[in-house]
């Protein structure tokens, strides 16, 4: 007997949706012969002949969707689809399942979930303007985990999203205003970078805490809520993957931190099981395009999506909408948009960005788009029809130039360095009037992955700055210059976990390699150089937030001197001013006693608002600089109307400003 069609229309959402008196089920399976809804099937059992009980058979409409209404079902009930096709028959997990059963994966049930079970507290939160973003990237599974006694337990198990709750106050203090965890969609296995998801709507269960182990986490969450004046949550409200991720996002918002989700819409899977989305309508396995959602093209060990199918495009767009609407995320970082563009997905990308911008215009959309011709990468953010419509795009110009420059300095004080390329990289933009559209980093998860080989794996900045000793003065000071230029350059800066405190090791997604985990103990008094670098990065991030010129559009790289290894940059707000001058030196000697003449954009007093030299062996009693500031009253210089002689420390970053900044 066909399932009831109560509450079923052409606009009924796909997946399992609570409706008055029960649950609607709807799925897309155009070539399936029959589709059933299987309720509360025990994990690990597949009957030889599936019982076609009355009411289990879904009804197919004229657009190849199967649907039915089951009365009496409620939140937390279990289900799967049973699909009969021309190639096979058997269980299939719902591609739209919001959560999966906490055991037995991949032979596990889907869970009916009420999106209203988590009590949000973030109604007053507004994400930063795109131009104001300072982003922190991390991998949930290896980032941070301590037991109640404060002992690091990462070497023994995968980290959980509720472990990261303990770092929310750290993020706020550091000065970042957005965090970007690597993808957290469900995938097979415990360790993964996250870029091989198989169940895109379901959070990774290995990042969630079982109900029996929730007690200490409830205490941690409620401490942060209480500090903001909110009532406690119960263990029941934190049970399940969805609510634990929501709690993390909610707390980030309460502490002023936006959350950007990393999504993979160029491919899925690093190995599909029989109950996965692949060959969902159970057609015969072959090398052609019978797998419904995918092409026969591989990428990164998975399959590229079939963008020409409207239902596939909608599936991915719906996934983005769910993150923005149900999870309250503040933006999306799209992995390898290049693959999408080269696989027939150009118009899909336009539909995606337009739809999600309509859904949540304040949510940033960041594209990792590497057109083979760097001159065409502007098309990633250009408005359709000329481009795909993302808000900002990755650039390797500043990243590669800075890394090459730091490597050049390891040749010693007499080695030739080329600051001309750095000047050009600082000017690089996708939109002249919106320099924030360039996404900047000098470390990220790809470059530093221990499992990569050849040019795909590059050292941490500290190790690059001195390959023989990542704690030497050369390593420390050069790393400060590299990070200083990143955080004062145009564009939106991102740092990778550990970069803020001089981490020098590669990283891995496998906690069984404790020697590759970032070393939090270095901030707990075991490595002063780490704590000094942390203080440096923290103060520089807050300086960027205090001085709008460092986030603004105005830039003039007015001084580039390869012989002295000095570069100077004028930043300002067009029409407003608020001028800032950034001076970076990679010279291994100090220019003492105001021995370096530099142009300034205006005469009078300039405050020295930042000096990297004071952070070395904090507080550096031998720091060189310009305490109290300088007076620009000299002749025109560097094409600017006036000049001043400054003291310029070796391997340093100085920042001069007209005012002390504000928030």
């Amino acid at each position: 007997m066909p399932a009831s069609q109560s509450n079923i229309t052409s606009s009924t959402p796909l997946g399992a949706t609570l409706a008055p008196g029960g649950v609607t089920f709807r799925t897309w399976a155009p070539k399936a012969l029959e589709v059933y809804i299987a309720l509360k099937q025990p994990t690990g059992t597949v009957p030889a002949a599936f019982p076609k009980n009355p009411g289990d058979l879904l009804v197919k409409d004229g657009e190849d969707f199967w649907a039915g209404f089951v009365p009496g079902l409620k939140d937390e009930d279990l289900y799967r689809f049973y699909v009969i096709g021309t190639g096979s028959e058997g269980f299939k997990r719902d591609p739209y399942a919001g959560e999966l059963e906490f055991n037995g994966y991949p032979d596990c049930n889907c869970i009916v979930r009420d999106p209203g079970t988590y009590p949000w507290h973030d109604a007053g939160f507004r994400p930063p303007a795109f131009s104001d973003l300072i982003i922190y990237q991390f991998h949930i599974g290896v980032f941070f985990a301590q037991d109640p006694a404060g002992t690091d337990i990462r070497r023994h198990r995968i980290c959980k999203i509720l472990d990261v709750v303990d770092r929310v106050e750290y993020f706020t203090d550091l000065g970042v205003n957005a965090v970007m965890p690597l993808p957290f969609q469900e995938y097979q296995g415990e360790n993964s970078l996250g870029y091989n998801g198989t169940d895109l709507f379901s959070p990774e269960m290995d990042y969630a805490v079982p109900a029996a182990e929730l007690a200490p986490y409830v205490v941690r969450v409620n401490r942060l809520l209480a500090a903001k004046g909110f009532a406690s949550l119960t263990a029941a409200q934190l049970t399940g993957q969805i609510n634990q991720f929501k709690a993390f996002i909610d707390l980030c918002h309460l502490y002023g931190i936006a959350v950007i989700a990393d999504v993979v819409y160029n491919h899925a899977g690093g190995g599909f099981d029989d109950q996965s989305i692949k060959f969902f309508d159970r057609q015969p396995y072959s090398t052609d395009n019978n797998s419904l959602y995918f092409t026969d093209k591989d990428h990164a060990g998975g399959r590229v999506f079939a963008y020409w199918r409207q239902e596939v495009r909608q599936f991915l767009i719906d996934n983005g909408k769910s993150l923005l609407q149900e999870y309250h995320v503040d933006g999306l970082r799209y992995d390898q948009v290049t693959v999408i563009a080269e696989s027939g997905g150009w118009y899909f990308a336009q539909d995606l960005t337009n739809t999600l911008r309509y859904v949540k215009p304040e949510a940033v959309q960041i594209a990792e788009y590497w057109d083979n011709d760097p001159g065409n990468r502007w098309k990633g953010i250009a408005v359709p029809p000329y481009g795909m419509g993302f808000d900002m795009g990755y650039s390797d110009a500043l990243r590669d130039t800075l890394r090459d420059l730091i490597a050049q300095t390891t040749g010693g004080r007499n080695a030739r360095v080329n600051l001309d390329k750095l000047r050009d990289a600082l000017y690089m933009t996708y939109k002249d009037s919106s320099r924030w559209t360039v996404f900047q980093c000098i470390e990220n998860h790809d470059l530093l992955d221990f499992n990569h080989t050849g040019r795909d794996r590059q050292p941490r900045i500290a190790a690059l700055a001195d390959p023989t000793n990542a704690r030497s003065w050369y390593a420390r000071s050069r790393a400060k210059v590299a990070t200083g230029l990143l955080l004062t350059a145009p564009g939106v800066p991102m740092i990778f976990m550990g970069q803020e405190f001089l981490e020098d090791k590669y990283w891995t997604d496998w906690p069984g390699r404790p020697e590759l985990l970032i070393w939090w103990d270095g901030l707990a008094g075991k490595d002063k150089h780490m704590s000094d670098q942390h203080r440096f990065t923290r103060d520089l991030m807050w300086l960027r937030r205090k001085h709008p010129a460092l986030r603004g559009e105005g830039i003039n790289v007015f001084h580039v001197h390869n012989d002295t290894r000095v570069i100077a940059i004028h930043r300002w707000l067009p029409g407003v001013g608020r001028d800032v001058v950034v001076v970076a030196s990679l010279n291994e000697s100090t220019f003492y006693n105001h021995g370096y003449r530099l142009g300034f954009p205006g005469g009078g007093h300039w405050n020295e608002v930042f000096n990297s030299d004071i952070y070395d062996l904090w507080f550096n009693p031998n720091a060189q600089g310009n305490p109290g500031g300088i007076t620009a009253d000299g002749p025109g210089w560097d094409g600017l109307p006036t000049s001043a002689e400054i003291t310029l420390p070796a391997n340093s970053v100085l920042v001069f400003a007209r005012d002390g900044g504000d928030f």
Side-chain angles (χ1 to χ4, degrees):
M1 180 177 175
S4 168
Q5 295 300 290
S6 297
N7 299 304
I8 301 295
T9 69
S10 60
S11 60
T12 297
L14 290 161
T17 307
L18 288 168
V23 173
T24 62
F25 296 93
R26 192 163 179 254
T27 193
W28 177 54
K31 295 185 179 180
L33 302 177
E34 294 177 328
V35 178
Y36 294 84
I37 186 66
L39 301 173
K40 298 183 179 179
Q41 293 296 309
T43 56
T45 62
V46 179
F50 183 75
K52 299 179 178 61
N53 296 324
D56 290 335
L57 177 63
L58 300 183
V59 175
K60 186 178 182 180
D61 65 16
E63 297 182 344
D64 297 325
F65 292 94
W66 300 76
F69 172 75
V70 179
L73 295 186
K74 60 188 183 307
D75 182 52
E76 298 187 354
D77 280 341
L78 306 179
Y79 72 98
R80 272 182 275 187
F81 293 119
Y82 191 91
V83 181
I84 300 176
T86 59
S88 64
E89 67 176 86
F91 288 116
K92 283 287 186 180
R93 297 188 301 279
D94 181 2
Y96 278 76
E99 189 168 298
L100 300 178
E101 198 175 13
F102 216 144
N103 59 76
Y105 186 87
D107 182 20
C108 63
N109 291 302
C110 309
I111 305 176
V112 174
R113 291 311 309 250
D114 179 355
T117 58
Y118 181 80
W120 289 94
H121 308 84
D122 65 348
F125 177 74
R126 297 295 178 269
F130 298 166
S131 59
D132 292 343
L133 287 166
I134 304 175
I135 300 173
Y136 190 100
Q137 184 187 44
F138 67 97
H139 181 276
I140 296 169
V142 297
F143 180 57
F144 183 88
Q146 289 184 347
D147 65 16
T151 302
D152 191 334
I153 56 175
R154 289 177 296 162
R155 67 182 58 200
H156 304 302
R157 66 158 173 79
I158 300 292
C159 303
K160 313 299 181 184
I161 191 61
L162 292 184
D163 288 320
V164 188
V165 163
D166 287 335
R167 294 284 83 179
V168 168
E169 292 165 304
Y170 173 84
F171 293 140
T172 301
D173 176 75
L174 181 61
V176 298
N177 53 22
V179 295
M180 189 169 74
L182 270 65
F184 51 82
Q185 287 73 33
E186 180 61 58
Y187 54 81
Q188 294 189 33
E190 287 186 331
N191 66 303
S192 168
L193 297 184
Y195 296 96
N196 54 349
T198 53
D199 298 78
L200 269 60
F201 283 77
S202 303
E204 172 54 53
M205 63 181 69
D206 286 314
Y207 293 163
V209 179
E213 301 172 15
L214 265 177
Y217 292 100
V218 175
V219 173
R220 299 178 194 182
V221 169
N222 286 335
R223 180 185 69 81
L224 293 180
L225 285 173
K228 296 297 182 179
F230 290 102
S232 296
L233 294 177
T234 65
Q237 291 169 319
L238 284 175
T239 298
Q241 301 95 281
I242 290 179
N243 283 4
Q244 290 176 24
F245 273 88
K246 288 180 178 179
F248 170 73
I249 295 166
D250 194 23
L251 289 169
C252 283
H253 288 171
L254 293 182
Y255 282 77
I257 306 294
V259 179
I260 299 171
D262 194 339
V263 294
V264 188
Y265 295 160
N266 55 65
H267 76 287
F272 291 100
D273 62 279
D274 184 64
Q275 297 188 42
S276 72
I277 190 175
K278 191 177 181 184
F279 289 92
F280 184 78
D281 54 359
R282 296 278 181 188
Q283 296 305 293
Y285 289 101
S286 66
T287 58
D288 60 19
N289 296 328
N290 287 341
S291 60
L292 189 59
Y293 281 87
F294 303 102
T295 69
D296 58 355
K297 180 180 178 181
D298 290 334
H299 175 71
R303 282 296 174 94
V304 176
F305 285 100
Y307 302 110
W308 64 85
R309 292 183 173 137
Q310 189 276 331
E311 294 84 0
V312 174
R313 297 197 300 271
Q314 193 62 51
F315 170 74
L316 297 172
I317 291 172
D318 287 345
N319 184 258
K321 288 170 62 178
S322 73
L323 289 166
L324 297 179
Q325 294 176 317
E326 183 176 351
Y327 284 82
H328 292 199
V329 303
D330 307 291
L332 300 175
R333 179 265 184 196
Y334 299 93
D335 181 63
Q336 273 291 29
V337 172
T338 317
V339 176
I340 296 174
E342 294 176 350
S343 304
W346 182 272
Y347 297 112
F348 154 71
Q350 294 178 339
D351 290 344
L352 174 70
T353 56
N354 284 337
T355 302
L356 298 189
R357 186 168 294 111
Y358 176 81
V359 168
K360 193 171 185 178
E362 67 273 24
V364 67
Q365 301 189 66
I366 305 169
E368 184 192 13
Y369 178 52
W370 305 113
D371 190 282
N372 290 329
D373 180 356
N376 286 331
R377 292 177 185 169
W378 62 272
K379 295 179 180 179
I381 66 163
V383 175
Y386 305 105
M388 289 182 279
F390 297 96
D391 295 311
M392 64 183 68
Y394 271 59
S395 171
D396 54 9
L398 182 64
R399 182 193 77 193
D400 292 353
T401 301
L402 262 179
R403 294 182 71 88
D404 287 346
L405 188 61
I406 295 300
Q408 290 168 25
T409 64
T410 63
R413 66 175 60 244
N414 296 319
R416 183 70 176 172
V417 300
N418 187 349
L419 294 169
D420 298 337
K421 290 185 177 179
L422 176 58
R423 173 196 58 211
D424 297 342
L426 288 165
Y427 277 120
M428 188 272 165
T429 183
Y430 292 127
K431 285 185 178 180
D432 290 338
S433 61
S434 301
R435 292 186 178 275
W436 53 264
T437 57
V438 180
F439 187 81
Q440 309 277 33
C441 67
I442 55 176
E443 292 190 354
N444 63 43
H445 70 284
D446 275 330
L447 287 181
L448 310 178
D449 185 359
F450 177 78
N451 298 308
H452 284 177
T453 58
R455 285 281 300 170
D456 289 338
R457 186 178 72 176
Q458 298 185 28
R460 290 268 195 171
I461 290 297
L464 176 68
D466 185 349
T468 64
N469 180 6
R471 290 294 178 270
S472 71
W473 172 80
Y474 297 100
R476 302 191 309 265
S477 58
R478 290 166 182 160
K480 287 183 177 68
V481 173
T483 299
L485 284 168
L486 170 69
L487 290 173
T488 57
V492 168
M494 182 204 79
I495 66 168
F496 184 64
M497 58 181 186
Q499 180 183 344
E500 73 273 26
F501 53 80
L502 209 66
E503 181 58 78
D504 61 321
K505 305 185 300 294
Y506 295 109
W507 82 286
T508 179
D509 57 352
W510 183 241
R513 297 293 302 271
E515 74 280 7
L516 294 176
L517 299 174
I518 61 173
W519 196 44
W520 291 106
D521 283 351
L523 293 185
K526 295 187 178 181
D527 189 326
K528 178 168 172 52
H529 298 315
M530 280 187 153
S531 57
D532 288 348
Q533 184 79 6
H534 173 268
R535 185 188 296 268
F536 159 83
T537 307
R538 176 191 179 277
D539 287 357
L540 192 54
M541 285 183 173
W542 281 106
L543 186 82
R544 183 180 177 96
R545 293 179 66 171
K546 287 174 64 177
H547 286 276
L550 292 176
R551 313 185 304 274
E553 300 302 311
I555 179 171
N556 176 21
V557 186
F558 64 88
H559 182 95
V560 179
H561 203 292
N562 290 327
D563 290 337
T564 60
R565 296 184 175 183
V566 176
I567 188 168
I569 310 155
H570 175 206
R571 304 290 311 279
W572 71 92
L573 291 177
V576 177
R578 304 291 301 274
D579 300 67
V580 168
V581 171
V582 179
V583 188
S585 171
L586 283 167
N587 196 305
E588 294 177 14
S589 297
T590 293
F591 294 92
Y592 291 100
N593 301 320
H594 300 282
Y596 199 91
R597 183 169 291 279
L598 194 71
F600 274 82
H605 185 76
W606 288 79
N607 303 302
E608 184 183 78
V609 296
F610 190 85
N611 182 338
S612 66
D613 201 32
I614 69 172
Y615 295 91
D616 198 60
L617 300 176
W618 173 270
F619 181 90
N620 183 1
N622 300 312
Q624 300 297 311
N626 308 271
I630 57 95
T631 299
D633 57 2
W637 205 263
D638 295 322
L640 296 178
T642 187
S643 63
E645 292 184 334
I646 67 171
T647 297
L648 183 55
N651 283 358
S652 66
V653 174
L654 303 182
V655 181
F656 297 94
R658 288 292 203 182
D659 58 63
D662 55 43
F663 290 103

